[in-house]
Amino acid sequence: MFGIMKIKISDACKGCGTCESICEEIFEVVNGRARVKADLDIPCVDEAIEFCPEGAISKDS
Ligand code: SF4
């Protein structure tokens, strides 16, 4: 089972869309800012955290 946790996007987000490209199940960019659609701990969340150019994504497990 995938765990439940809280995904956060900080004000450093520039809306580049990288997280959405990597992990569209979880992230979407709306009005130039990423938002979290579902707090699910699936593997692509970690990829998005790694590849966000602003370091704007974090999670509490
Ligand atoms: S990858 Fe980072 S900067 Fe780009 S939209 Fe996602 S959270 Fe924002």
Side-chain angles (χ1 to χ4, degrees):
M1 282 293 289
F2 296 122
I4 305 259
M5 43 88 215
K6 190 77 190 160
I7 301 166
K8 291 183 191 161
I9 297 171
S10 80
D11 290 342
C13 173
K14 298 279 198 294
C16 70
T18 300
C19 55
E20 183 180 68
S21 299
I22 292 172
C23 196
E24 65 180 0
E25 299 91 335
I26 302 296
F27 301 100
E28 67 179 351
V29 177
V30 178
N31 295 328
R33 179 81 192 259
R35 65 178 288 272
V36 176
K37 296 194 287 186
D39 284 309
L40 294 174
D41 194 6
I42 59 176
C44 65
V45 172
D46 293 321
E47 285 182 53
I49 289 170
E50 183 177 349
F51 288 104
C52 171
E54 308 300 331
I57 308 168
S58 62
K59 66 178 187 180
D60 296 333
S61 51

